[in-house]
Each structure stands twice: as structure tokens, then as C-alpha cells.
Amino acid sequence: MRSEAAAKLPVVFFGTSHFAVPSLDALASAHDVIAVVTQPDRPAGRGLRERQSAVKVRALELGLDVMTPERLDAAFAASIAALKPALLACVSYGKILPEALLSIGGSTALNVHPSLLPEYRGASPIQAALREGRTITGVTVIWMSSKMDAGDIALQSEIAIGADEDLGALHDRLATVGASLLAEAARMLDAGALPRRRQDESRATYTRPIDKDDLRIVSSSPARTIVDLVRSASPAPGAWLVYEGKRLKVLAARLEPAGSPLVSADGPGVAAADGIVRFLRVVPEGKRAMSGAEFVRSTTARR
């Protein structure tokens, strides 16, 4: 029987965003995370001050060694190989790991992806599931390959999407599920029992990075489509439209029957193709977030 100390895998963790933090915590609590690789500090915010990634912040709190390479070149791969990791764990890192890393001898590379692969490969799987009104999504741990999100499936877990769940809430839930699934995958890898099955390429779908025009609310769309778009972009970056001549972000919305007033005490609205979409939380141009009711009161007072 393995001792507790012998069961700890030497792990190099690749991650950048908040989505990866629970997975880093899960591995650090059970294994020997010998290095954390994350994106370099980048200018962010209104003052464009250098900001550390969420993973770097957490890794430093945990006292872990952090690496921030600009390029994953051969020299970097050699430096990782010298650490002799048993597991390369990649969660929302922001770059595809090159073959030089994936082929390090004695190491297995696993990736956590927030979808039920092979659906929604690519950059925005959570947003796509919400935007398309899906009621089921999930997390997949794959054996990494050099082709984006196409590696063999190790473990997969389904979850139901709440009727009013938005991007922020679903993101956090999937991050927690992903952390548990990755921890289980590491345990099974250590036991030599991690499953492996090929993805069905005929079912593969793809997502891409989202730009601001993708998030524009088109009032001629079905009402449900507008509400799902709002959910897929809340709390950030926010779906938007031009409302009474100014840009208005919409963070929460609900369906109302056709014939409902365009402006009510609960907030402004738009007439969609098949009903009214009421805006319940908004960000007026140049202002803070507020309820739809507060927005109506403020605009009424100015008239």
C-alpha cells in the first residue's frame, strides 16, 4: 500500500484566470505542486497598472514557485522537464501547450475544459452554453494533445444550468466542479486507473473569443434570445444597446408578455419579436451599475 507521502504527485500547474484557482487549491492540498506557470503581469484597469494573474496571486499566497514565461519555447520546455513532473495540469492558462511540453517523458498532461466535449471547444464555452439557452452543461478533463481541446476524454461531469443563472454564477460553479474532477483525475492517474476514450469528432462544435459587437442587443430578436444573451455576458463584460441615444449595458433581464409597457416601475424595456424584455439591472453610460427601477426614477426626474 502506498504511503500518504508517496501518493503525492509532483505537479506543474498551468493556469491564469480565476477559473483555475479552485483547481490549483485542490492540487496543492493533495499533491506536490513544484511550479506554477501563468501569464506574465499585464497592464489592466483605468490606470493600466501592471496586474498579476489570479493564479499568480493565489500561488504566491500558497508559497509556490511561479514562472511567467513570455514564450513556451524549447528552453522553457527543458526547464520544466528538469523538474521531473508526473503531471502537467492545465486549467484556463490562455495558450495551447506545445508538443515539447506534452511529450516530456514520465509526465501526463491533463486539461480542464468547462463544457461537455466535444461540444463547445475553444475560447468561450460557458458563454456559448448560456447564449444558446442550454439547460445542461458540464466539465471535461482531457488528456492533452496538440490540437485544441481534442484530446481523449478522461473524466466528464454534467450539471444543470439554472433558469436564471448568469455567466458569473455558472463560471464559479463549473470552476468548483472542475477542481473536484481534476483532483479525482490526479488520484486515478496515481493509481494507474485513469480512463481514456476518444472524442467523437463528428459532434465537435467550436466557440471563439467574444467581441463587443457579439454582445449588442438586437430588439428584433426573440425575447428569450435577448435574455439568454444578457445572462451570457453578466456581470462582465455586459450585453448592451443604444437606449434613448446612449449606450446602456444590461446585466439582468426578464421576459414579459407582448403588450406590457415599455417602461415600468421595475425598469426600462424593449419590444422584442415576441414579447417585452424588461431590464432589471443596468449600467448607464459613464455611471455605476443600478437597478432598472433606479434607472427609471433617475431618467424620469431629469425630464
Side-chain angles (χ1 to χ4, degrees):
M1 178 181 294
R2 288 174 177 270
S3 68
E4 183 179 349
K8 289 190 173 183
L9 295 173
V11 178
V12 174
F13 186 87
F14 291 75
T16 297
S17 76
H18 289 280
F19 184 85
V21 170
S23 288
L24 173 60
D25 283 341
L27 291 181
S29 68
H31 298 284
D32 182 13
V33 178
I34 51 181
V36 174
V37 185
T38 188
Q39 297 290 322
D41 299 353
R42 304 291 190 200
R46 290 185 175 179
L48 294 181
R49 299 176 63 180
E50 292 281 314
R51 184 174 297 176
Q52 299 173 338
S53 76
V55 164
K56 181 177 179 179
V57 171
R58 183 56 181 155
L60 294 175
E61 290 173 349
L62 294 170
L64 302 172
D65 291 336
V66 176
M67 308 169 79
T68 57
E70 289 285 354
R71 296 184 300 167
L72 304 181
D73 55 16
F76 176 74
S79 69
I80 295 298
L83 297 175
K84 301 186 182 307
L87 171 61
L88 303 182
C90 185
V91 187
S92 190
Y93 173 58
K95 287 184 178 179
I96 295 176
L97 303 195
E99 188 60 35
L101 282 168
L102 300 181
S103 61
I104 290 176
S107 177
T108 295
L110 300 177
N111 174 245
V112 176
H113 189 77
S115 83
L116 296 174
L117 290 171
E119 289 189 325
Y120 297 141
R121 292 174 179 174
S124 55
I126 307 175
Q127 296 91 331
L130 288 168
R131 190 170 59 247
E132 295 179 12
R134 294 295 185 95
T135 58
I136 298 291
T137 187
V139 179
T140 306
V141 175
I142 58 172
W143 299 72
M144 290 189 72
S145 72
S146 56
K147 187 177 177 183
M148 183 182 68
D149 301 329
D152 294 345
I153 292 173
L155 299 174
Q156 195 167 62
S157 180
E158 283 189 3
I159 69 168
I161 301 175
D164 297 320
E165 197 164 19
D166 65 14
L167 174 62
L170 184 58
H171 168 282
D172 291 352
R173 275 210 302 144
L174 290 171
T176 300
V177 173
S180 297
L181 209 61
L182 179 61
E184 176 64 6
R187 186 194 66 77
M188 297 177 77
L189 176 67
D190 186 49
L194 187 62
R196 186 167 191 161
R197 64 179 171 86
R198 300 187 68 173
Q199 294 189 38
D200 181 353
E201 290 294 323
S202 69
R203 294 180 48 242
T205 59
Y206 295 87
T207 65
R208 59 176 175 78
I210 297 170
D211 62 41
K212 64 180 181 182
D213 287 338
D214 295 325
L215 301 178
R216 181 165 188 161
I217 294 170
V218 178
S219 61
S220 57
S221 302
R224 184 73 245 177
T225 298
I226 294 174
V227 171
D228 288 339
L229 176 66
V230 170
R231 295 166 63 213
S232 77
S234 181
W240 63 277
L241 77 166
V242 176
Y243 186 85
E244 296 186 343
K246 292 189 175 181
R247 189 182 179 104
L248 183 70
K249 281 188 181 180
V250 183
L251 303 183
R254 73 173 179 225
L255 306 179
E256 292 185 2
S260 301
L262 282 179
V263 178
S264 78
D266 290 339
V270 293
D274 53 354
I276 299 297
V277 178
R278 182 74 56 213
F279 300 151
L280 301 176
R281 187 159 184 81
V282 299
V283 184
E285 185 174 322
K287 297 184 178 179
R288 60 173 174 79
M290 61 182 68
S291 69
E294 186 179 1
F295 176 78
V296 168
R297 289 196 298 271
S298 66
T299 53
T300 301
R302 288 199 303 269
R303 289 169 181 157

